[in-house]
Amino acid sequence: MPEVTISLDNPEEELAILGARDILLRQVRDALRIKVTARRGEVRLEGDAESIEQARQIFEEMRKLHRRHHQLGPGDVAALIDAATASTSHSELEIRENNRVVRPRSPGQTRYLQALRDHALVFAIGPAGTGKTYLAVAAAVSLLRRAQIKKIVLVRPAVEAGERLGFLPGDLEAKINPYLRPLLDALHDLMEYNQLRRYMAHDLIEIAPLAYMRGRTLNDAIIILDEGQNATIPQMKMFLTRMGQNARIVVTGDTTQVDLPPGTSSGLADAVERLRNVPGVGIVTLQKADIVRHPLVQAIVDAYETVEPAPAAGTSPTLIDPGLTPPCEEPRP
């Protein structure tokens, strides 16, 4: 495997290039899917020759910016990554559905669509408004239309975001509908209503809570798990092992917005660490710079990152129904 070592001049340059807690190093690593090791003033790059050369260029440009007394941030690194990988044109990544043209609108979205195209298992992590769910659904609809898969399965954990809805009335569809709304909204935007209902009636598109995936093997399908940060570690393992022949899995989520009960680890963060170096797995980290909703969304994200207010009494996350997802009880005093 090709390997390149970059020697850094001093501890100050090392901190600037790697970022706090190595955040900038991980950003380059995840974008190019290479192995990056930093130790004793050296950065070692391992991977395919093209990606290694791109990473070398990125780190050298980062050093140049630092020497100009420029304080490096994730936005700078995303721009350098985009420039280094500019050989992939956006037109190759366009998705055309229902008289709509879906194309990447930021460097992070470009990397995300590349990963969706090139990998059987993709993790997309980022804040609200970065297009994680929408782009995954658009890619799935495109694959279904072109007969590259036979079925789309859209999945969400049935975990409340603090509002304690309790036991909702109605059948299964009525109970889980509030949780699956974002997925349905994306589908309605990409398909005519009658066509979507027909696809769902013929089981070409299925929407289900995460707990209902147990025991299944899905072939010739693309399975999208939205809000993956709210899956527990056992649930994530169960979900990822549903992959059958000619299947693809996409897991999206925001690891800063976990709604699981206190003391319960997020299956998304755990899976990313476990599978980071597994061939065939694509991991894309989207940043605030990739937010493409209303301009106020980025300001809102910034405001909530500055100060996180303590949760009000009695608003701890709960499960919608013990029948949908195994309950997680806190120990009694």
Side-chain angles (χ1 to χ4, degrees), residues 33-268:
R33 299 183 291 278
I34 60 175
K35 182 178 180 181
V36 183
T37 307
R39 188 178 182 185
R40 296 179 181 176
E42 291 185 342
V43 177
R44 180 176 297 175
L45 312 173
E46 299 179 58
D48 64 88
E50 182 181 4
S51 297
I52 290 300
E53 176 57 23
Q54 290 172 342
R56 187 194 65 77
Q57 293 175 14
I58 291 166
F59 279 113
E60 289 299 338
E61 290 299 320
M62 291 169 69
R63 297 179 74 186
K64 291 178 183 178
L65 288 173
H66 169 65
R67 289 166 185 169
R68 295 175 196 154
H69 305 287
H70 181 87
Q71 185 174 355
L72 291 163
D76 300 305
V77 177
L80 293 175
I81 292 169
D82 191 40
T85 58
S87 57
T88 301
S89 68
H90 284 194
S91 62
E92 295 176 359
L93 299 171
E94 287 183 351
I95 300 171
R96 296 177 178 269
E97 292 297 335
N98 192 26
N99 297 321
R100 283 183 172 271
V101 179
V102 179
R103 59 170 61 92
R105 295 170 57 186
S106 72
Q109 289 192 352
T110 299
R111 296 192 299 275
Y112 184 22
L113 285 176
Q114 288 172 340
L116 291 172
R117 181 191 62 189
D118 298 337
H119 295 279
L121 171 58
V122 175
F123 293 93
I125 302 169
T130 51
K132 304 183 300 294
T133 301
Y134 190 88
L135 291 177
V137 172
V141 171
S142 179
L143 289 172
L144 183 64
R145 301 262 207 196
R146 289 183 280 131
Q148 294 189 13
I149 58 168
K150 297 179 180 178
K151 183 181 180 73
I152 298 172
V153 183
L154 305 175
V155 184
R156 255 194 159 202
V159 177
E160 297 176 9
E163 58 267 48
R164 299 186 65 87
L165 297 178
F167 292 87
L168 297 176
D171 56 12
L172 172 63
E173 184 175 354
K175 284 177 180 288
I176 66 174
N177 187 65
Y179 298 90
L180 303 176
R181 233 19 279 180
L183 298 168
L184 288 169
D185 289 344
L187 284 171
H188 281 301
D189 200 43
L190 294 160
M191 305 178 70
E192 297 291 343
Y193 176 80
N194 290 335
Q195 185 177 48
L196 174 58
R197 298 307 300 178
R198 187 166 63 252
Y199 274 40
M200 295 180 72
H202 289 84
D203 207 31
L204 298 177
I205 296 177
E206 176 187 353
I207 303 178
L210 177 58
Y212 279 61
M213 292 295 101
R214 189 175 301 278
R216 302 181 64 181
T217 299
L218 295 165
N219 300 310
D220 300 307
I222 181 166
I223 312 109
I224 300 172
L225 173 60
D226 193 35
E227 299 289 347
Q229 78 275 6
N230 288 331
T232 64
I233 293 175
Q235 286 175 334
M236 183 63 71
K237 178 184 176 182
M238 177 273 291
F239 173 76
L240 295 177
T241 53
R242 300 309 94 201
M243 180 183 284
Q245 297 297 319
N246 189 38
R248 300 185 181 203
I249 285 181
V250 183
V251 182
T252 70
D254 181 356
T255 52
T256 68
Q257 298 292 325
V258 178
D259 298 314
L260 291 168
T264 304
S265 298
S266 169
L268 175 57

